[in-house]
Amino acid sequence: MTTETTKETPEAAAVPPSGAAPAKKVPQGHRRLLTRRDRLTLGLMAGLPTILHIALVWVTALASIALAFTTWDGIGFDSIQWVGLQNFKELFEQNPQFWPAVQHNVIWFVVLIVIPTPLGLFLAVQLDKNIRFSRVYQTAFFLPVVMSMAVIGFVWQLIYNPDTGLINSIIGANEPGKYIDWIGDPDLNLWAILVAASWRHAGYMMILYLAGLKGVDPSLREASALDGASEWQTFKNVIFPTLRPTNTVVLVVTIIEALRAFDLVFVFNKGAEGTELLSILVTNNIIGESSRIGYGSAIAVVLLLISLVVIIPYLVATFRKERRA
Amino acid sequence: MQHFTPSGLSLPSPSRRTLLRGIGGAAVLGAGVPLLSACGGSGTASDPKTVTLGSKASDPVPKKAFADIYAAYKKKSGITVDVNTKDSNTFQEQINSYLQGTPDDVFTWFAGYRMQFFAAKGLATPIDDVWKTIGGNFPEAMHKLSKGEDGKYYFVPLYTYPWAIFYRKSVFKEKGYEVPTKWDDFVALCKQMKKDGLVPIAFGDKDAWPALGTFDQINFRQNGYDFHVELMAGKASWTDAKVRKAFDTWAEILPYHQEGAVGRTWQDAAQTLAAKKAGMYLLGTFVAQQFTNKADLDDLDFFAFPEIDPAYGQDTVEAPTDGFMMSKSPKNKAEAVKLLQYLGTSDAEGIYLKSDPSVVHASTKADTSSYTPLQKKAYDMIAGAKSLTQFMDRDSRPDFTSTVMQPALQKFIRDPKGVDSLLASIERQKKTIFASG
């Protein structure tokens, strides 16, 4: 919103001179167009968000990059000590949770792209046909998206609880010998959580695709119907290609979801073995009574670098497209 | 996304300037961590009739019990205790920035390394003058627990509770089990219980800390209090043969633990004991909170963790102790001292215990006549101990226990065979953590 404010205001202020009327009333010319008050307002509207942005985004980001090369327990600034690359060395070589965490973030992304995204597209296509009770289905699938991730975590724990949970109670897997530990077993727990994450993500994707589908020109469908295309052919050759912008949004949203995955896992089992995530490692090291802020920052920097690897190509592609347009 | 509200334009200029100054200040502070300190501390100006107190007692039972103490104190002295209660997890997570910001005069905290850490950082005031008056109320072990590394007192204990092995009297009676005091008897009992179709030892480590307690018990029984303290302080090595032996001992009884521990909370594990599906459960006395049925609660009993090495017997008891500390520069120091002197009396403790009977007095002068049999036993166990430990995450650096030990022990529970590489990894990580700050 802030960037939009700064972009919009000069244009809004520049509208009057194009009309004929103000020219008469303000004979001094363009210089006096903005009164002191206007300039102050503009300055504040552009300045405040800029300062806030710099202070809360840039300064903190740069500070955590700087802190990644230090050790600091968070008590007093004089206890900050430079240690160079020590934190990263320790992270890459000694932390038994680091590489699993990187791997799990990647798995998170792949699973979200492969399972709930096509499912969301499928649901959107079905709902777009204006079938009966379409609103009801739409609400049902979208409901998980409205819920907070923490709540979803609690709900799914009731299902996965190995002793009293729904699944184990139904299939009788809560007895010794046949025991299935959905939450504790590192071979299972990540997938169990991903089911919950996909359950929510599918609804999210459905809404995005539904919006995209509503924007498809109906005449395209008519044209393909007149050409005698089957439903699948229409979708494959006509509708899906027009969803290209939506697909880009979906990809970006999914990457963001995979990198910021945190709340669900934190509620589920606090990132115990099998479900480690980078965001959880950052939190575990930074928040607490005697924190390792330097070390936690180093993990955050790794997360930032991974994000940049993903975001930079996207931005480059977007800007290139804009320049061409 | 576009909400152009006019309200932003009509801000009066002074507030705009202060806002800007505030933002500039925040920018200078950088990391954003100190910003949190704004959450702590009550803004009340120094009032000679008021002492401020930061409390982590946010659960209803302890909250009321504490409030009763402060009310009694006001009646007695005319001094108001202005309590600033925060959610206990939040309080613990923010303690760092809270103590650096504008903390309350007195705050609730834990004994042991966690107290010593903040004392050593200069974030607490030594209270030797308080201990001159209250010293006689406490046994020697509590004196030791309340001192910082510099030998000064920093802590006033209020209550404590032991860790032990809990069981149902009726189950033991029905099956003819006997309370084991020696390791071999304990293992034999586990075997027998398994044969009888019981889960010998209930276990839930989803929150990752209960396993720390099991390790503590085995380690100080096997290697003694002194080695345990050295290990917790980062001095002894985790690759020491003694540690390996402790893990081997643990591995011996691991098959008798409840399956799937990493996915189960301690509350759920306690329910298996309550339901008589499990025979024993190693936990703190707070396990009694899960016995909501009066008859079940009366049936609950416990025994000390069995002896492993006769050289150490059962002389060490794990007894986490909670109490109070004074912040680094209290606004009303004179009254804060008096309040702490009161909190160190058996009267204050008695008021607390009336509302929260799951714990016992830290003081030996306390009236124990209203104790339940369980409390009496807990009290005797602590009073008879040669040494008290606090619990791994209170006896060692919390950053080490939470980021290294908790995941490591969860891994061990699942895969006890990989212990050698696990211990080597713990030792490597320990070195870097203890080397910093």
Side-chain angles (χ1 to χ4, degrees):
Chain A
M1 201 183 89
T2 48
T3 47
E4 252 151 11
T5 321
T6 49
K7 239 189 273 170
E8 297 280 322
T9 13
E11 281 167 25
V15 172
S18 61
K24 266 186 233 164
K25 278 179 193 167
V26 192
Q28 289 95 331
H30 287 258
R31 283 192 159 276
R32 298 293 300 156
L33 263 177
L34 297 173
T35 62
R36 266 178 67 95
R37 201 186 146 83
D38 285 345
R39 258 177 283 157
L40 193 71
T41 313
L42 271 180
L44 274 173
M45 284 174 80
L48 264 184
T50 310
I51 291 172
L52 273 173
H53 180 78
I54 290 176
L56 298 177
V57 177
W58 283 98
V59 173
T60 44
L62 292 175
S64 50
I65 292 175
L67 283 171
F69 300 96
T70 65
T71 66
W72 186 32
D73 56 15
I75 299 177
F77 289 105
D78 49 343
S79 63
I80 303 180
Q81 278 174 5
W82 289 98
V83 292
L85 290 171
Q86 185 58 45
N87 287 333
F88 292 96
K89 214 176 142 228
E90 198 189 327
L91 194 58
F92 296 146
E93 290 171 5
Q94 288 176 15
N95 192 324
Q97 294 169 290
F98 176 71
W99 290 113
V102 174
Q103 201 188 336
H104 296 156
N105 272 96
V106 174
I107 292 178
W108 199 282
F109 168 71
V110 173
V111 168
L112 286 191
I113 273 292
V114 173
I115 296 166
T117 307
L119 186 63
L121 177 59
F122 176 75
L123 292 174
V125 170
Q126 300 310 311
L127 289 176
D128 194 43
K129 289 180 193 155
N130 288 324
I131 46 174
R132 274 175 80 188
F133 309 121
S134 125
R135 281 287 162 87
V136 176
Y137 296 131
Q138 201 172 319
T139 314
F141 292 124
F142 192 64
L143 211 57
V145 188
V146 183
M147 276 202 280
S148 114
M149 274 291 204
V151 175
I152 294 176
F154 290 125
V155 170
W156 280 85
Q157 276 198 63
L158 298 177
I159 297 172
Y160 284 129
N161 185 309
D163 295 318
T164 55
L166 182 72
I167 299 178
N168 278 7
S169 302
I170 289 177
I171 64 175
N174 50 4
E175 291 155 24
K178 299 181 220 155
Y179 205 81
I180 302 179
D181 188 1
W182 297 101
I183 297 173
D185 188 337
D187 299 329
L188 288 177
N189 52 15
L190 184 67
W191 307 107
I193 294 185
L194 280 169
V195 169
S198 302
W199 176 65
R200 177 183 187 268
H201 200 68
Y204 194 2
M205 295 299 103
M206 177 197 76
I207 286 292
L208 287 181
Y209 276 120
L210 205 51
L213 287 169
K214 298 279 180 217
V216 174
D217 193 340
S219 58
L220 285 176
R221 282 176 213 268
E222 267 169 51
S224 66
L226 285 176
D227 285 348
S230 73
E231 202 173 335
W232 170 243
Q233 283 172 323
T234 311
F235 175 77
K236 201 180 91 180
N237 300 321
V238 180
I239 310 289
F240 193 72
T242 60
L243 287 176
R244 223 188 119 101
T246 314
N247 281 330
T248 317
V249 173
V250 161
L251 185 69
V252 171
V253 165
T254 308
I255 291 170
I256 293 172
E257 288 280 320
L259 287 173
R260 70 165 194 189
F262 173 79
D263 14 23
L264 192 57
V265 173
F266 196 76
V267 170
F268 198 74
N269 67 358
K270 296 205 171 65
E273 202 190 357
T275 60
E276 297 98 335
L277 290 173
L278 286 172
S279 53
I280 286 185
L281 293 190
V282 174
T283 318
N284 284 350
N285 280 288
I286 287 190
I287 292 182
E289 329 165 16
S290 60
S291 22
R292 308 177 67 195
I293 293 179
Y295 192 60
S297 300
I299 307 173
V301 167
V302 173
L303 188 57
L304 178 72
L305 289 177
I306 296 177
S307 317
L308 287 180
V309 168
V310 180
I311 288 164
I312 287 176
Y314 169 69
L315 286 181
V316 168
T318 317
F319 284 137
R320 202 177 285 152
K321 215 182 292 161
E322 260 174 31
R323 225 173 287 139
R324 243 184 271 135
Chain B
M1 282 297 277
Q2 282 157 289
H3 301 289
F4 294 103
T5 46
S7 60
L9 305 175
S10 54
L11 270 174
S13 53
S15 77
R16 222 178 289 164
R17 216 173 294 137
T18 26
L19 182 60
L20 281 174
R21 211 183 297 137
I23 293 160
V28 171
L29 289 174
V33 176
L35 282 173
L36 285 173
S37 61
C39 313
S42 56
T44 43
S46 177
D47 173 355
K49 287 268 166 212
T50 306
V51 181
T52 58
L53 187 144
S55 172
K56 65 176 179 62
S58 53
D59 292 341
V61 171
K63 192 175 176 180
K64 181 179 179 298
F66 276 112
D68 290 345
I69 302 180
Y70 310 139
Y73 184 63
K74 180 162 190 192
K75 219 180 230 172
K76 189 171 167 268
S77 65
I79 301 293
T80 310
V81 181
D82 182 5
V83 189
N84 166 20
T85 307
K86 254 189 280 182
D87 167 68
S88 50
N89 278 330
T90 317
F91 188 91
Q92 264 166 254
E93 277 164 8
Q94 295 179 350
I95 183 80
N96 218 321
S97 43
Y98 166 70
L99 291 180
Q100 290 181 76
T102 47
D104 301 288
D105 298 345
V106 176
F107 60 97
T108 56
W109 199 236
F110 313 106
Y113 185 94
R114 277 173 152 168
M115 172 271 293
Q116 293 180 337
F117 177 80
F118 293 111
K121 291 279 175 188
L123 292 174
T125 307
I127 47 168
D128 289 356
D129 39 354
V130 173
W131 273 82
K132 263 179 210 140
T133 8
I134 64 171
N137 298 341
F138 294 100
E140 191 49 39
M142 283 293 165
H143 280 249
K144 215 160 71 177
L145 272 182
S146 306
K147 280 183 198 166
E149 284 160 339
D150 57 0
K152 290 181 182 146
Y153 289 97
Y154 285 95
F155 184 79
V156 175
L158 185 75
Y159 61 77
T160 180
Y161 57 90
W163 275 59
I165 298 179
F166 288 81
Y167 66 96
R168 303 277 309 243
K169 278 182 278 194
S170 60
V171 172
F172 269 50
K173 203 170 162 193
E174 184 193 319
K175 311 255 175 176
Y177 299 146
E178 268 179 49
V179 167
T181 52
K182 300 267 174 5
W183 181 252
D184 292 340
D185 302 339
F186 180 62
V187 176
L189 179 61
C190 286
K191 272 187 195 142
Q192 187 57 46
M193 282 182 173
K194 198 163 191 177
K195 221 178 272 168
D196 294 345
L198 283 170
V199 173
I201 306 170
F203 196 28
D205 197 42
K206 181 158 182 272
D207 300 311
W209 53 261
L212 305 180
T214 310
F215 175 78
D216 286 351
Q217 299 284 345
I218 294 175
N219 190 41
F220 57 62
R221 287 279 181 270
Q222 178 124 56
N223 299 316
Y225 172 79
D226 293 332
F227 181 79
H228 185 69
V229 170
E230 267 179 53
L231 188 66
M232 292 298 112
K235 287 171 192 149
S237 165
W238 284 84
T239 47
D240 192 309
K242 285 181 173 173
V243 181
R244 173 67 212 254
K245 212 169 146 202
F247 275 95
D248 286 347
T249 309
W250 193 354
E252 198 184 333
I253 54 164
L254 215 46
Y256 305 110
H257 280 68
Q258 195 169 4
E259 241 181 301
V262 181
R264 187 182 298 108
T265 61
W266 71 264
Q267 289 94 337
D268 285 344
Q271 285 309 320
T272 43
L273 182 69
K276 298 189 182 181
K277 282 183 193 153
M280 299 178 278
Y281 190 21
L282 170 64
L283 209 73
T285 52
F286 52 86
V287 70
Q289 291 166 12
Q290 293 298 311
F291 287 69
T292 38
N293 185 333
K294 176 84 171 57
D296 286 349
L297 187 60
D298 290 341
D299 192 34
L300 187 68
D301 201 352
F302 64 84
F303 57 89
F305 196 84
E307 168 193 306
I308 297 175
D309 183 335
Y312 307 111
Q314 295 176 310
D315 64 358
T316 304
V317 172
E318 181 129 274
T321 306
D322 295 358
F324 300 91
M325 291 176 78
M326 195 195 285
S327 60
K328 63 175 190 294
S329 48
K331 291 195 197 86
N332 194 348
K333 192 177 174 191
E335 287 304 330
V337 167
K338 279 188 209 154
L339 173 65
L340 286 175
Q341 281 168 347
Y342 174 73
L343 292 170
T345 61
S346 47
D347 289 356
E349 296 185 336
I351 296 170
Y352 183 88
L353 259 72
K354 218 173 266 169
S355 305
D356 183 3
S358 68
V359 292
V360 297
H361 291 110
S363 145
T364 39
K365 290 265 171 75
D367 172 26
T368 56
S369 59
S370 63
Y371 274 6
T372 62
L374 221 55
Q375 273 177 306
K376 242 179 219 126
K377 205 166 173 182
Y379 181 81
D380 290 343
M381 196 167 145
I382 290 171
K386 206 172 130 202
S387 320
L388 297 179
T389 56
Q390 288 301 288
F391 197 68
M392 192 190 287
D393 67 0
R394 301 178 180 207
D395 280 331
S396 186
R397 289 181 63 120
D399 48 0
F400 169 65
T401 54
S402 65
T403 62
V404 180
M405 288 314 293
Q406 291 188 350
L409 293 190
Q410 282 191 334
K411 199 174 188 136
F412 171 76
I413 295 164
R414 279 198 36 266
D415 175 26
K417 288 200 182 73
V419 66
D420 280 321
S421 66
L422 190 69
L423 290 177
S425 165
I426 293 175
E427 178 63 18
R428 277 198 306 273
Q429 295 181 73
K430 180 210 87 179
K431 273 190 186 136
T432 44
I433 291 182
F434 278 87
S436 69

